[in-house]
Amino acid sequence: MSVDVERISAVPSLGKRPADSHKGMFGHVLVLAGGRGMAGAAGLVGASALRSGAGLVRVASPSEVAPVVATFEPSYMTYPLPQDGDGLIDFPASAPALNRLIDQADVLAVGPGLGQSSGLAQMVRWIVQEVGVPAVLDADALNNLAEAPGLLATASRPIVVTPHPGEFSRLTGDSIAQIQADREGKAVAFARRSKNLVVVLKGTGTVVTDGRRLFVNPTGNPGMATGGAGDVLTGVIAALMGQGMPAFEAAVLGVHAHGLAGDIARQHSGEVGLIAGDIVDGLADAFEALGALG
Ligand SMILES: NC(=O)C1=CN([C@@H]2O[C@H](COP(=O)(O)OP(=O)(O)OC[C@H]3O[C@@H](n4cnc5c(N)ncnc54)[C@H](O)[C@@H]3O)[C@@H](O)[C@H]2O)[C@@H](O)CC1
Ligand SMILES: Nc1ncnc2c1ncn2[C@@H]1O[C@H](COP(=O)(O)OP(=O)(O)O)[C@@H](O)[C@H]1O
Ligand SMILES: [Mg+2]
């Protein structure tokens, strides 16, 4: 179906770092992710944000999950938040700590492995409505918003949403078949709810749109149909926003680099053996290749 938008094919680049660079110039990413049994999702977001150039990354998770997340990667910081009886972030008990952590952050990456609860639904609504820091919302951030997707229209700062077709179906009420039959049109219509909203509709040929512009990603491969591949993308886009890229540009470069990292990973692991950590490992070469072109 044809949609009335400007089609973008050029991929923006990050630019070369000045010789006197310091980590304070490249953004502090706060990751709110992980829940009982899903520490890995939080670790993948944190690691991919670091591999995408973030100056500092902190991963905040429920108190039983944070020490596990800390064992995956020494280069990010972790923070244990109050948890409920199901091992999920307890909100509003976590609000004071979250306020302090958010004050230090340039961008939030919220959702992978969080789980769903009434408290988490309250937390995500609070983030959308009250928090002024740009954010990437994925997975359970979106599932917890599914009862009130209209709130995204009120976003007063850039928000990037990164649903797969299943999550987009919960947000929009359309079936997965309806979405897949008109991926561009559905993504553009949703993005037009707010001038601050960027939609990344994942899957083969991921669609990125802010409602005015549209990019369809050519990189990536079926080896990426593996748990955690999307968690990696969340960290990549957040890191690029933290480095000062506008949300749409960060989403376009992030999606492209993530797919390229998956293509690099396929050279080593093949499509069958590829796991999400291999995509994280491919990011360094992907950004080097894109930097050489840019
Ligand atoms: N290591 C970990 O801790 C992991 C945790 N994860 C978390 O697990 C929770 C559940 O997320 P899931 O995404 O697994 O489950 P969901 O139930 O949200 O989505 C899976 C379903 O969505 C549909 N779908 C997804 N992509 C599609 C596509 N390209 N085309 C058509 N249909 C598509 C399919 O029906 C699929 O069965 C989230 O919190 C997520 O972040 C996952 O990210 C996997 C890894
Ligand atoms: N066949 C494919 N071709 C290209 N990219 C793919 C393919 N399958 C999955 N991907 C990419 O992998 C990621 C999967 O994300 P998601 O479904 O959220 O996984 P998870 O929640 O397990 O991390 C998305 O970025 C998607 O575009
Ligand atoms: Mg996902």
Side-chain angles (χ1 to χ4, degrees):
M1 250 166 265
S2 92
V3 261
D4 175 26
V5 278
E6 181 189 352
R7 286 180 181 273
I8 304 291
S9 57
V11 177
S13 66
L14 265 176
K16 195 168 156 42
R17 291 188 171 196
D20 59 352
S21 294
H22 59 84
K23 67 186 175 195
M25 296 161 63
F26 302 109
H28 181 151
V29 178
L30 175 62
V31 179
L32 299 180
R36 184 172 291 164
M38 296 203 278
L44 287 166
V45 181
S48 61
L50 285 166
R51 286 290 183 194
S52 304
L56 273 174
V57 175
R58 190 191 303 272
V59 185
S61 309
S63 55
E64 72 175 40
V65 175
V68 180
V69 177
T71 63
F72 297 147
E73 168 57 60
S75 312
Y76 52 55
M77 302 168 284
T78 54
Y79 191 95
L81 290 166
Q83 70 175 43
D84 67 16
D86 294 321
L88 307 181
I89 293 173
D90 186 336
F91 192 90
S94 296
L98 285 175
N99 270 314
R100 286 193 302 278
L101 296 173
I102 289 169
D103 272 351
Q104 298 166 22
D106 297 301
V107 59
L108 311 181
V110 188
L114 272 185
Q116 292 183 64
S117 69
S118 58
L120 285 168
Q122 216 183 315
M123 182 184 87
V124 178
R125 289 174 194 207
W126 171 74
I127 288 170
V128 171
Q129 291 187 289
E130 310 287 341
V131 171
V133 178
V136 182
L137 304 183
D138 181 37
D140 289 327
L142 303 175
N143 294 328
N144 279 299
L145 258 190
E147 301 292 314
L151 285 186
L152 288 167
T154 67
S156 59
R157 84 298 190 189
I159 291 189
V160 178
V161 295
T162 60
H164 60 49
E167 289 153 352
F168 202 52
S169 164
R170 292 180 200 122
L171 270 183
T172 58
D174 293 326
S175 68
I176 293 178
Q178 285 169 324
I179 290 163
Q180 295 296 65
D182 184 18
R183 286 168 56 81
E184 296 183 2
K186 299 285 185 192
V188 167
F190 198 83
R192 285 185 177 160
R193 289 170 171 228
S194 163
K195 65 175 175 34
N196 284 315
L197 193 58
V198 173
V199 174
V200 173
L201 177 55
K202 296 184 292 193
T204 313
T206 291
V207 173
V208 183
T209 179
D210 61 0
R212 293 186 294 117
R213 297 168 288 180
L214 183 138
F215 174 80
V216 180
N217 187 46
T219 60
N221 65 80
M224 297 172 75
T226 180
D231 308 341
V232 175
L233 177 65
T234 305
V236 176
I237 297 174
L240 298 175
M241 291 168 74
Q243 286 165 86
M245 286 194 124
F248 177 75
E249 282 78 2
V252 170
L253 174 58
V255 163
H256 193 272
H258 174 255
L260 186 54
D263 291 342
I264 291 166
R266 177 171 59 176
Q267 291 167 16
H268 302 281
S269 303
E271 290 185 356
V272 173
L274 199 158
I275 61 173
D278 300 335
I279 307 174
V280 179
D281 292 343
L283 284 168
D285 284 345
F287 280 109
E288 277 299 290
L290 290 167
L293 295 173

